[in-house]
């Protein structure tokens, strides 16, 4: 008999399938991550690695080139392995990270054939991510038809952006067909803003700028827990420079490249998504840590450009809200790079931002100096937990006679604060 109810969270990319299992802790009604890991190198040289709650590697495996291409079989391997590794757990649902919900999906939704078709129609809006997000849903629906699946969207948090923040100054007919600013990293913003509100209730209704700085980076303006502006737009290419993505760029550059260099869509896509950003500027690496450790002037330039653009966007988003009451750093760079945080904050000194070097170097929760006008926080993001909370909440909402309905999760599919 299963002792625990757990949720499987899947985040599928072009060559990787990241997974986490979060177990419901009865006493606290909280969720605890018990396993996480990924199958990497899918399509070429697939490897499997799983870690326990203490980040200790508990399983590894490698496949040959032929087996590495069998995506369905790799997913089945994962499920079978989880069954063995967690004999006391019953996986009650799978929650999927889906990059694009378009206009139709402004909250997590149970996956049905109709939902899958609607999500399929959004592939042109996110061709590099959406097809991979959907593939395991289809595979699981075929192999485990009784397992409820819930899709959670990176765009959903931004679904209520004011029209001035969601619109491009383009002819209306383009807006009518969906060419608008959507924003991404929403699951991270949702988690971080709720977590901050839980830790500092006095900030719950205030104006916060959250800097999600990772391999993919964006910033969001959050007022009273709701997204009101963000740096990414129609695609995840806009905004600040990223590991290999250029961020905002004058569209005239693209016209120049098309006209003068004869570049087509595929070539431009490769340039803008895979050869730009930190990698393009430095010519060395897309990895912030490697660049910060390098003494190469090109590496330093890439870091400086990144910090300049992040600081500029903080100010722009504060402008969108008519002010700012707190600044938050999160994700790989935001959580782990005191140097980036210090450089960004230094550029925001005019706004009254001052950080405490010791607190910053130790990654304290609050890194602002006592005399800082603006409080500055570092909060680890946890998109997996947000997905699991949503997944179980959708399940509970759809299961009026189930135990879930009675237990009343703290996170609902509507935007009520959750204790994350
Ligand atoms: P993803 O968008 O793929 O989820 P992450 O949020 O994991 O990315 O962030 C990855 C980035 O975080 C990389 O650029 C990496 O160099 C950076 N990073 C991780 N640890 C550190 C560190 N200690 N110092 C500077 N950068 C770091």
């Amino acid at each position: 008999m299963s002792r625990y109810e757990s949720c499987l969270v899947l985040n599928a990319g072009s060559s990787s399938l990241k997974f986490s299992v979060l177990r419901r802790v009865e006493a606290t009604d909280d969720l605890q991550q018990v396993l996480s890991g990924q199958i990497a190198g899918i399509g070429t040289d697939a490897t499997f690695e799983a870690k326990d709650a203490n980040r200790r590697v508990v399983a590894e495996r490698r496949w040959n080139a032929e087996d590495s291409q069998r995506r369905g079989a790799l997913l089945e391997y994962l499920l079978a392995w989880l069954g063995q590794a967690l004999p006391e757990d019953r996986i009650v649902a799978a929650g999927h990270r889906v990059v694009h919900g378009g206009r139709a999906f402004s909250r997590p939704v149970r996956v049905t054939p109709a939902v899958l078709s609607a999500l399929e129609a959004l592939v042109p809006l996110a061709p590099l991510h959406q097809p991979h997000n959907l593939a395991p849903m289809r595979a699981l629906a075929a192999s485990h038809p009784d397992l409820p699946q819930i899709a959670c969207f990176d765009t959903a948090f931004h679904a209520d952006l004011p029209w001035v923040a969601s619109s491009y100054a383009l002819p209306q007919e383009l807006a009518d067909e969906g060419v608008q600013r959507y924003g991404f990293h929403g699951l991270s913003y949702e988690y971080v803003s709720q977590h901050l509100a839980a830790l500092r209730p006095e900030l719950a209704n205030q104006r916060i700028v959250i800097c999600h700085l990772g391999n993919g980076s964006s910033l969001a303006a959050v007022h009273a827990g709701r997204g009101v502006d963000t740096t990414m737009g129609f695609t995840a290419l806009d905004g600040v420079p990223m590991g290999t993505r250029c961020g905002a760029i004058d569209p005239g550059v693209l016209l120049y490249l098309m006209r003068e260099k004869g570049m087509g869509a595929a070539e431009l896509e490769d340039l803008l998504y895979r050869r730009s950003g930190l990698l393009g500027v430095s010519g060395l690496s897309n990895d912030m840590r490697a660049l910060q450790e390098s003494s190469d002037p090109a590496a330093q330039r890439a870091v400086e450009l990144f910090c300049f653009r992040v600081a500029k966007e903080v100010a722009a988003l504060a402008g969108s809200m008519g002010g700012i009451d707190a600044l938050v750093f999160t994700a790989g760079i935001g959580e782990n790079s005191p140097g980036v945080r210090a450089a960004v904050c230094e550029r925001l000194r005019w706004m009254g931002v001052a950080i405490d070097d010791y607190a910053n170097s130790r990654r304290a929760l609050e890194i602002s100096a006592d005399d800082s006008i603006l409080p500055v926080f570092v909060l680890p993001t946890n998109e997996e937990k947000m997905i699991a909370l949503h997944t179980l909440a959708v399940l509970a909402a759809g299961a009026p006679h189930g135990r879930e309905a009675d237990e009343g999760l703290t996170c609902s599919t509507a935007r009520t604060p959750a204790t994350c």
Side-chain angles (χ1 to χ4, degrees), residues 18 97 185 212-217 245 278 286-290 292 331-334 336-338 340 383:
K18 295 184 182 151
R97 180 179 187 174
H185 291 138
H212 175 108
L213 309 179
N215 230 335
S217 296
R245 286 174 251 168
L278 296 174
N286 64 335
D287 191 287
M288 178 58 83
R289 185 167 24 189
Q292 289 190 296
I333 299 171
N336 297 306
S337 176
V340 166
E383 290 147 301

Side-chain angles (χ1 to χ4, degrees), residues 302-324:
V303 177
E304 200 176 334
L305 176 54
F306 179 82
C307 296
F308 170 82
R309 294 275 293 272
V310 170
K312 189 167 149 178
E313 293 295 347
V314 171
L317 293 179
S320 297
M321 294 188 287
I324 175 171

Side-chain angles (χ1 to χ4, degrees), residues 31-356:
L31 292 175
Q32 178 199 10
Q33 183 169 300
V34 284
L35 279 175
S36 64
Q38 66 172 331
I39 300 178
I42 297 174
T44 50
D45 51 345
T47 56
F48 169 73
E49 186 182 83
K51 293 181 177 170
D52 66 12
N54 299 317
R55 314 290 304 155
R56 266 200 325 254
V57 176
V58 290
E60 286 177 297
R61 179 174 171 175
R62 214 166 245 292
W63 286 270
N64 65 28
E66 198 187 326
D67 289 342
S68 295
Q69 294 175 29
R70 300 173 55 221
R71 287 171 187 265
L74 295 175
L75 178 59
E76 282 309 310
Y77 172 84
L78 170 63
L79 293 173
W81 182 83
L82 287 173
Q84 280 178 5
L86 298 171
E88 296 190 313
D89 290 63
R90 184 170 69 92
I91 307 266
V92 294
H96 298 263
R97 180 179 187 174
V98 180
V99 70
H100 223 303
R103 286 179 178 160
F105 299 104
S106 58
R107 60 185 55 186
V109 64
R110 184 139 178 183
V111 178
T112 63
V115 165
L116 261 173
S117 303
L119 294 177
E120 189 80 48
L122 297 171
V123 164
L125 301 189
L128 302 188
H129 296 99
Q130 194 86 345
H132 306 295
N133 298 160
L134 304 187
M137 287 184 199
R138 230 176 273 109
L140 275 181
S143 65
H144 296 75
D146 294 334
L147 179 69
Q149 300 192 67
I150 313 298
C152 301
F153 303 98
D154 263 324
T155 46
F157 184 74
H158 309 288
D160 297 329
L161 290 183
W163 77 268
V164 280
S166 66
S167 303
Y168 289 117
L170 286 169
Q172 186 57 36
E173 56 267 27
L174 283 171
D176 292 342
E177 65 180 66
V179 180
Q180 62 164 75
R181 303 185 69 249
Y182 291 98
F184 299 89
H185 291 138
L187 293 156
S188 174
Y189 293 130
E190 192 176 11
Y191 178 84
V192 170
S193 55
Q194 291 182 1
H195 198 183
L196 182 65
L199 294 171
R200 297 291 161 95
E202 70 277 14
L203 289 172
N205 290 316
Q206 302 299 312
R207 298 160 299 184
I208 321 288
V209 171
I210 303 175
C211 307
H212 175 108
L213 309 179
N215 230 335
S217 296
S218 71
L219 287 75
V222 180
H223 191 180
R226 303 177 84 90
V228 292
D229 199 1
T230 188
T231 59
M232 282 180 169
F234 180 60
T235 68
L237 203 49
D238 205 357
V240 295
M242 301 167 226
T244 60
R245 286 174 251 168
C246 60
I249 185 171
D250 177 353
V253 173
L254 309 189
L255 296 176
Y256 166 80
L257 295 173
M258 290 163 77
R259 211 179 279 126
E260 301 301 322
K261 309 228 180 245
M263 281 186 159
E267 236 178 318
L268 282 175
E269 188 173 277
D270 185 50
L271 172 74
L272 304 177
Y273 276 94
R274 299 187 193 92
R275 295 197 287 121
S276 299
L278 296 174
L279 174 65
V281 177
S282 70
L284 294 169
S285 173
N286 64 335
D287 191 287
M288 178 58 83
R289 185 167 24 189
L291 296 177
Q292 289 190 296
E293 285 167 0
S294 166
S295 55
D296 191 311
Q300 298 311 315
R301 265 206 308 279
V303 177
E304 200 176 334
L305 176 54
F306 179 82
C307 296
F308 170 82
R309 294 275 293 272
V310 170
K312 189 167 149 178
E313 293 295 347
V314 171
L317 293 179
S320 297
M321 294 188 287
I324 175 171
D325 303 300
L327 177 64
V328 182
F329 290 94
T330 193
I333 299 171
E335 292 167 30
N336 297 306
S337 176
V340 166
R341 292 193 298 260
V344 169
C345 289
E346 182 56 35
R347 288 185 176 276
L348 297 170
R349 197 173 262 279
W350 63 273
M351 283 173 84
V353 175
I355 58 167
D356 178 316

Side-chain angles (χ1 to χ4, degrees), residues 200 356 359-360 363-369 374-378:
R200 297 291 161 95
D356 178 316
N360 184 37
R363 196 176 76 170
L365 166 66
E366 189 165 352
I367 61 168
S368 34
L374 197 66
V376 182
F377 298 91
V378 181

